[in-house]
Amino acid sequence: MASEVKTGDQRGFSLSQLPLTERHVGFLSILPVILLYLVISIIPVGYAVYTSLHEVSLAAQTWPFVGLDNYVEVFQIDRFWDSLIRGVVFMVGSTILQLIVGLWMAMTLNRINRAQRLITAVVFTSYLIPTIVVTLLATFMLSPSFGVIQDIGANWLGLWSANDAPLGQRSLAMPLLILIGTWKFSVFITIFTLAQLRSIPSRFYEAARVCGANKWEMFRDVTLPRIQGVILVAVLLRSIFMFNKFDLIWTLTQGGPGSATTTLPVLAYIEGFQNFNLGLANALAVVMFVFLAIGGIAYFKAFNPSSEVET
Amino acid sequence: MSTDTDESGLDPDSIRGIFGLDFRTADTLYQLLLSLSAAFFFVLIMFPIYWMLQSSLKTRTGREAVSWLPTGETFTVEYYTDLVGSSVGTFIFNSVVVTLGTIVLVVIVSLIAGYGLARLEFGHKENFARFLLFGYMFSPIVLGLPLYLIWRNLGLLGTRVGLIVALTAISMPFSVWLMWKYIQTIPEAMEESAWVAGASRWRGFRDVVIPQTQPAIIASALFAFALAWNDYTFASILLPEQQQMTFAPGLLQLINTGYGAPWGQVMAVSMLTTIPPLLFAYFLQSYLLKGFQIRSL
């Protein structure tokens, strides 16, 4: 594409000068996307499947074939099942909380009259703010000696004692992770819903008002039917993203204390990059991919991409 | 409002607000709840950012106890001035390079692909759409493990270009779909009149289509920014060397090495990396909404 572009600049390039049909140019235009995808998704997944069937070590030249041994190991270790359960708890808890907060924020932003732009900006900031900043800030504000939230939790609410590190406690680590994730990711559902809310014509509400509907009836009969589809998609996407969430958990707790917040992505990372058990780690990655593929099929059932684009 | 609506058939008692309150009370209550919610969310999100700002302006002694403002004695800007020329400065520079590279690459690739998909006739477009969406199923960590080994073989491990390529591919599904749908909304007749005037397809694309896709370009640039600026996982796997490190793994390293975490410095860097998001959220919020409105996700 790039070379054609150059000659075209100089002397009025036209398609007929080259033995290319429209189909060829069409394929050429999406070729970069396909290539990028091959390199970043298809080949890595294939590679993961390949390595999961071998005994891998970075030092050795050849990797002996071990068949399904790695998979057998995955399903036998307790760490796998425990991590799977923790991952599901994290996913479901996060998604429900984010849905509630996200919808509430969207409704608020859609209806406020004063300072709408400012408050929208503040809410949207949490979408763009780097995850690492969120986790470092959370660590800072929850630290025992000088953390403001630790202080409030200890002295005002009595949730923990003055010298405790809340993130270091087994019973508190997971709920806190879910709360911190909600602070950062709820806005995803907000933007999704708000975009849809803004596209509802105001005459629908005027008509409802003329017919004597109150606020609740307007929400139930005008708003809800129009945002149902979007909510379903947002929930599915959030579930997939939260199941996959690695950076937030890793940077906050490294899967600890003990293994209280070790979900599957964290376990795969630990096996791969700390224990250098790359065969097992890749087998874990493949198992996760299968779970996600099931999620993906559900996603396609709920949200048919071909109906969205007029091909 | 409209005088021709017949309301006489309705029993006036059956028209009540929420909880059976009359409309005026219900409306006041609603407005009150709305304002309270807005205030709550404002504080919820601004408080940590405020705390980050005020902590970055305090000396070590100032941070040792919880306080709401730096005092005259504990006020300092040294954490900001010290960043110039430090390793943390390099981390931020690397992040800027990676983010800009990703944005440019994403916009170019998605413009070309979006145009091809919207305007040219060729087969398997629906399969391509599915193929694109399937990208969402991949966890960064699922890809990161094998990508580490592949990037090592290709010599891309530890290069900023390697990370740019990886992040571009991750943001691809969204922006290609956005462009695809956006270019479909531009009337084809405009291009046709350019062709009649003697313009080639390329000229038509460059001079007619691209200027009109500006909102979509801003939207996909914004999403690419969010992804690249946010990225921790890929950066920590694909850029293991200190020299190329971006600020996300860099900051974590700073906190975890040695005793007495340098919180002042960390808060200053965090504040600096939060300023672009704040500005974009204020000035470009309509584009962020537009990206989702077109249902490209």
Side-chain angles (χ1 to χ4, degrees):
Chain A
M1 205 66 192
S3 59
E4 294 166 20
V5 164
K6 288 227 175 58
T7 51
D9 255 344
Q10 261 77 53
R11 41 172 190 83
F13 165 80
S14 92
L15 289 180
S16 54
Q17 288 169 338
L18 284 170
L20 285 170
T21 64
E22 189 167 313
R23 283 187 52 191
H24 290 126
V25 183
F27 275 120
L28 270 182
S29 72
I30 58 167
L31 193 64
V33 181
I34 294 180
L35 283 179
L36 274 170
Y37 245 62
L38 274 179
V39 174
I40 210 77
S41 300
I42 310 299
I43 296 175
V45 170
Y47 206 82
V49 173
Y50 172 82
T51 42
S52 69
L53 300 172
H54 293 74
E55 174 87 52
V56 183
S57 91
L58 288 180
Q61 286 297 312
T62 54
W63 299 340
F65 181 77
V66 292
L68 292 174
D69 281 8
N70 284 319
Y71 289 93
V72 174
E73 197 183 340
V74 164
F75 288 110
Q76 277 176 347
I77 53 175
D78 293 341
R79 293 198 302 276
F80 169 76
W81 295 106
D82 295 345
S83 305
L84 179 62
I85 292 167
R86 278 190 291 264
V88 170
V89 168
F90 178 68
M91 176 182 86
V92 173
S94 302
T95 307
I96 292 175
L97 208 58
Q98 287 172 22
L99 178 68
I100 296 169
V101 177
L103 278 179
W104 182 14
M105 289 204 286
M107 302 288 173
T108 308
L109 292 181
N110 193 40
R111 282 278 172 260
I112 46 169
N113 311 317
R114 270 167 297 159
Q116 191 188 35
R117 193 185 171 99
L118 179 72
I119 294 173
T120 309
V122 166
V123 170
F124 282 13
T125 300
S126 64
Y127 177 80
L128 297 168
I129 200 170
T131 308
I132 187 74
V133 170
V134 176
T135 60
L136 288 175
L137 206 57
T139 312
F140 181 69
M141 292 171 85
L142 283 166
S143 68
S145 42
F146 44 79
V148 58
I149 298 192
Q150 201 277 348
D151 198 54
I152 291 171
N155 296 335
W156 296 8
L157 305 173
L159 293 171
W160 45 71
S161 61
N163 297 319
D164 284 344
L167 275 172
Q169 290 187 325
R170 278 181 163 275
S171 56
L172 286 170
M174 184 59 95
L176 282 170
L177 268 187
I178 293 176
L179 282 176
I180 295 165
T182 303
W183 188 91
K184 166 86 178 104
F185 298 112
S186 293
V187 66
F188 182 88
I189 291 185
T190 305
I191 301 178
F192 232 96
T193 321
L194 191 58
Q196 192 69 15
L197 284 174
R198 291 261 166 95
S199 70
I200 303 178
S202 56
R203 61 192 155 85
F204 285 19
Y205 293 102
E206 282 159 20
R209 195 174 299 130
V210 167
C211 295
N214 65 30
K215 288 270 191 278
W216 163 248
E217 285 162 346
M218 280 189 213
F219 174 74
R220 190 190 59 198
D221 297 335
V222 181
T223 314
L224 200 58
R226 298 212 140 218
I227 58 171
Q228 263 171 353
V230 182
I231 293 174
L232 188 67
V233 175
V235 165
L236 264 159
L237 280 178
R238 276 299 357 133
S239 309
I240 293 169
F241 292 165
M242 292 323 280
F243 185 77
N244 281 336
K245 196 49 59 199
F246 168 73
D247 49 2
L248 182 85
I249 304 176
W250 183 255
T251 54
L252 266 173
T253 62
Q254 268 104 345
S259 56
T261 55
T262 304
T263 59
L264 281 184
V266 177
L267 183 66
Y269 186 85
I270 292 173
E271 289 299 334
F273 291 99
Q274 293 193 334
N275 302 344
F276 293 105
N277 198 346
L278 285 169
L280 183 68
N282 278 303
L284 273 168
V286 172
V287 171
M288 274 177 63
F289 175 68
V290 171
F291 282 131
L292 294 171
I294 296 169
I297 291 163
Y299 175 75
F300 283 123
K301 288 256 187 276
F303 181 57
N304 186 5
S306 44
S307 69
E308 285 294 312
V309 179
E310 301 153 22
T311 44
Chain B
M1 204 177 276
S2 50
T3 46
D4 56 351
T5 318
D6 182 20
E7 286 186 346
S8 58
L10 292 164
D11 173 16
D13 285 340
S14 72
I15 316 170
R16 306 306 301 263
I18 317 169
F19 307 126
L21 297 162
D22 67 276
F23 273 95
R24 200 174 297 273
T25 322
D27 215 48
T28 319
L29 201 68
Y30 176 78
Q31 289 301 335
L32 189 70
L33 277 175
L34 208 58
S35 307
L36 280 178
S37 305
F40 170 70
F41 289 125
F42 185 84
V43 172
L44 182 74
I45 293 177
M46 276 320 275
F47 176 68
I49 296 174
Y50 162 74
W51 204 258
M52 173 160 74
L53 176 67
Q54 69 106 351
S55 302
S56 72
L57 295 170
K58 282 197 289 202
T59 57
R60 192 175 195 88
T61 28
R63 280 195 315 276
E64 266 164 10
V66 176
S67 64
W68 292 75
L69 272 175
T71 60
E73 287 159 44
T74 58
F75 179 81
T76 176
V77 290
E78 62 172 317
Y79 297 114
Y80 288 93
T81 50
D82 283 357
L83 289 179
V84 184
S86 68
S87 63
V88 185
T90 319
F91 298 157
I92 295 181
F93 173 76
N94 289 329
S95 281
V96 172
V97 169
V98 167
T99 307
L100 284 180
T102 308
I103 290 174
V104 170
L105 205 57
V106 163
V107 168
I108 292 174
V109 173
S110 61
L111 260 177
I112 294 172
Y115 180 79
L117 288 163
R119 287 287 195 267
L120 301 168
E121 278 311 318
F122 56 98
H124 300 294
K125 277 193 197 174
E126 284 178 29
N127 288 337
F128 184 73
R130 280 166 212 274
F131 173 71
L132 270 184
L133 273 184
F134 212 59
Y136 289 125
M137 305 303 120
F138 302 110
S139 158
I141 200 71
V142 171
L143 303 177
L145 275 162
L147 214 53
Y148 174 83
L149 299 171
I150 297 170
W151 256 218
R152 209 168 63 123
N153 289 338
L154 291 176
L156 283 173
L157 193 66
T159 66
R160 285 180 291 237
V161 176
L163 183 60
I164 290 174
V165 170
L167 292 175
T168 303
I170 298 294
S171 22
M172 210 81 280
F174 179 82
S175 30
V176 170
W177 212 339
L178 181 74
M179 286 297 175
W180 184 355
K181 297 200 74 181
Y182 196 84
I183 292 175
Q184 276 181 342
T185 65
I186 302 171
E188 205 164 354
M190 300 178 109
E191 244 176 300
E192 277 158 5
S193 66
W195 297 341
V196 169
S200 64
R201 200 173 252 286
W202 162 251
R203 280 292 303 267
F205 171 60
R206 196 190 64 183
D207 295 343
V208 179
V209 176
I210 291 186
Q212 295 190 68
T213 50
Q214 199 205 2
I217 292 178
I218 296 176
S220 46
L222 206 55
F223 285 100
F225 167 82
L227 202 114
W229 199 245
N230 244 306
D231 174 68
Y232 166 81
T233 313
F234 279 112
S236 65
I237 291 174
L238 300 178
L239 297 179
E241 300 295 327
Q242 182 87 23
Q243 219 57 46
Q244 281 82 32
M245 205 175 262
T246 58
F247 71 80
L251 278 179
L252 197 68
Q253 192 193 48
L254 209 63
I255 282 299
N256 288 339
T257 49
Y259 12 58
W263 281 114
Q265 210 181 1
V266 168
M267 287 298 128
V269 178
S270 299
M271 199 55 225
L272 284 181
T273 57
T274 303
I275 289 170
L278 273 170
L279 292 178
F280 291 160
Y282 188 80
F283 290 107
L284 303 175
Q285 50 182 255
S286 59
Y287 295 100
L288 208 57
L289 278 174
K290 185 163 268 152
F292 279 87
Q293 210 146 31
I294 219 142
R295 283 250 222 140
S296 31
L297 250 158

